[in-house]
Amino acid sequence: MPKEAGLPPDRRPRALVVASTEDLPTGLPDRLAREEIEEIAVHWWWGATSRLDTATVVALARPLPASATERRHLHEAVAQATITEVCGPFLDVAAALASRWHDGRPETLTPTLRGVIADLPAAAVPPQRAEGIRHPGRRPDERLLAAWNAGTVDSWDGTLRRHPGYDLTHEQAVAARVWLAQNQVLLPLLEDARDQFTATVRLRARVPPTRLAQDYGPRRGPGTAPEPVDSAVAMMELGAMWSAHCDGAIALTPAERRRLRTLREARNLLAHRVPLDGSRLQLLVEELCR
């Protein structure tokens, strides 16, 4: 042994052994860890891929946009976030989907993903659900070892992720991931747009600010002091603004009405865990980029 031969730590030879659990005697990694042998360290290559890794692969694989407009950039941001969320740690699927999902429309995502998985050289068979496994931990659960060795399950940013082919066998799974991606990109922009529209509400008001604050401002529980008038108007939600317009409390121009309706409908859908379809996404991007 190098240690017994008197070699200092910085001159001792080191070996990296990479193996699947199927290549090792049953329980060997756990036994090595329990015995705490100084010369041997066990590292599980579990959860090694992060969201940033996937996002980088997606960005590098995407074709250059045909134009550099703000609308095109926002569409592209939603598309890349969607691919990242749908593919998770499976970088081969992410790169292939990024290069083939050209239009970025939610309606074409699932068929494109099916084609990508079918065309991969070694398309993985999605694992069966492992009931009771909620947190991925620092190493794969014993029930997941076979699926992990097959490359169909991994830990990704603290969540257990199965191969995208698994999601394709569950009707709402892909839609849920599309919704998560749209939330990530669009909700901050919707909040900015709501904040900006409060200036329009003040300008177009047909009732005093105190009336706007009382009837359409944020609701307070019994015994809670009301917000100052300016703060209450500034905190009006898009739905409350739309109600004020429908009630005649504010008078909007056709363009302002169209903008508010588009923002409100998009916010309501996302709040109810419903992803925007291609048409609604297009309308929202147009309004956000005006």
Side-chain angles (χ1 to χ4, degrees), residues 1 4 33 37 39 59 64 87 110 117 127-128 167 191 214 269 285 287:
M1 296 289 289
E4 295 171 350
I37 301 175
E39 291 83 3
L64 292 176
C87 297
T110 295
I117 292 175
Q128 295 180 349
D167 286 347
E191 178 57 26
Q214 176 183 333
L269 287 171
V285 169
E287 289 300 333

Side-chain angles (χ1 to χ4, degrees), residues 12-31:
R12 294 172 190 169
R14 297 182 180 183
L16 174 65
V17 179
V18 180
S20 162
T21 57
E22 295 174 341
D23 302 325
L24 302 172
T26 302
L28 178 59
D30 290 336
R31 192 159 62 250

Side-chain angles (χ1 to χ4, degrees), residues 201-264:
V201 169
R202 290 186 175 94
L203 179 65
R204 303 299 186 193
R206 306 172 87 178
V207 298
T210 51
R211 171 83 179 277
L212 280 179
Q214 176 183 333
D215 293 350
Y216 306 102
R219 301 301 178 192
R220 294 289 171 180
T224 305
E227 289 281 345
V229 171
D230 286 346
S231 297
V233 174
M235 295 168 64
M236 284 176 63
E237 298 291 345
L238 293 168
M241 295 178 189
W242 183 255
S243 295
H245 164 67
C246 293
D247 294 344
I250 56 175
L252 302 176
T253 67
E256 292 164 347
R257 184 167 59 249
R258 181 184 65 246
R259 178 176 179 81
L260 179 57
R261 181 172 55 242
T262 300
L263 298 175
R264 169 183 167 270

Side-chain angles (χ1 to χ4, degrees), residues 11 37 41 79 102 128 144 155 165 191 270 290:
R11 296 190 59 191
I37 301 175
H102 300 300
Q128 295 180 349
L144 296 175
S155 170
E191 178 57 26
L270 293 175
R290 288 187 187 280

Side-chain angles (χ1 to χ4, degrees), residues 40 61 71 81-82 88 100 117 119 139 148 156 169 174 178 187 196 200 217 224 235 264 278 280:
I40 300 176
R71 293 178 179 85
T82 300
R100 290 173 58 171
I117 292 175
D119 291 346
R139 50 157 290 178
W148 183 52
W156 189 66
T169 66
V174 175
V178 173
L187 279 186
Q196 294 166 9
T200 302
T224 305
M235 295 168 64
R264 169 183 167 270
R280 286 191 172 93

Side-chain angles (χ1 to χ4, degrees), residues 61-270:
R62 287 294 283 173
L64 292 176
S67 63
T69 63
E70 186 179 0
R71 293 178 179 85
R72 182 62 236 176
H73 280 303
L74 182 50
H75 270 297
E76 183 61 17
V78 175
Q80 291 193 22
T82 300
I83 297 167
T84 299
E85 190 63 50
V86 166
C87 297
F90 302 95
L91 303 184
D92 55 343
V93 182
L97 183 59
S99 66
R100 290 173 58 171
W101 189 37
H102 300 300
D103 62 11
R105 291 178 59 84
E107 294 82 354
T108 62
L109 174 63
T110 295
T112 306
L113 180 59
R114 288 188 189 280
V116 163
I117 292 175
D119 291 346
L120 286 175
V125 177
Q128 295 180 349
R129 179 181 294 276
E131 298 296 342
I133 298 176
R134 293 291 180 264
H135 191 277
R138 295 184 178 181
R139 50 157 290 178
D141 187 278
E142 291 291 335
R143 291 167 288 178
L144 296 175
L145 281 179
W148 183 52
N149 288 328
T152 61
V153 67
D154 207 337
S155 170
W156 189 66
D157 272 15
T159 62
L160 187 65
R161 288 297 302 263
R162 293 173 174 81
H163 190 275
Y166 178 89
D167 286 347
L168 288 176
T169 66
H170 296 75
E171 185 176 353
Q172 295 301 320
V174 175
R177 301 204 188 282
V178 173
W179 170 76
L180 282 171
Q182 291 183 354
N183 261 11
Q184 176 188 352
V185 177
L186 297 174
L187 279 186
L189 300 178
L190 279 166
E191 178 57 26
D192 287 344
R194 183 211 63 80
D195 185 57
Q196 294 166 9
F197 204 84
T198 58
T200 302
V201 169
R202 290 186 175 94
L203 179 65
R204 303 299 186 193
R206 306 172 87 178
V207 298
T210 51
R211 171 83 179 277
L212 280 179
Q214 176 183 333
D215 293 350
Y216 306 102
R219 301 301 178 192
R220 294 289 171 180
T224 305
E227 289 281 345
V229 171
D230 286 346
S231 297
V233 174
M235 295 168 64
M236 284 176 63
E237 298 291 345
L238 293 168
M241 295 178 189
W242 183 255
S243 295
H245 164 67
C246 293
D247 294 344
I250 56 175
L252 302 176
T253 67
E256 292 164 347
R257 184 167 59 249
R258 181 184 65 246
R259 178 176 179 81
L260 179 57
R261 181 172 55 242
T262 300
L263 298 175
R264 169 183 167 270
E265 288 179 354
R267 183 65 182 84
N268 281 351
L269 287 171
L270 293 175

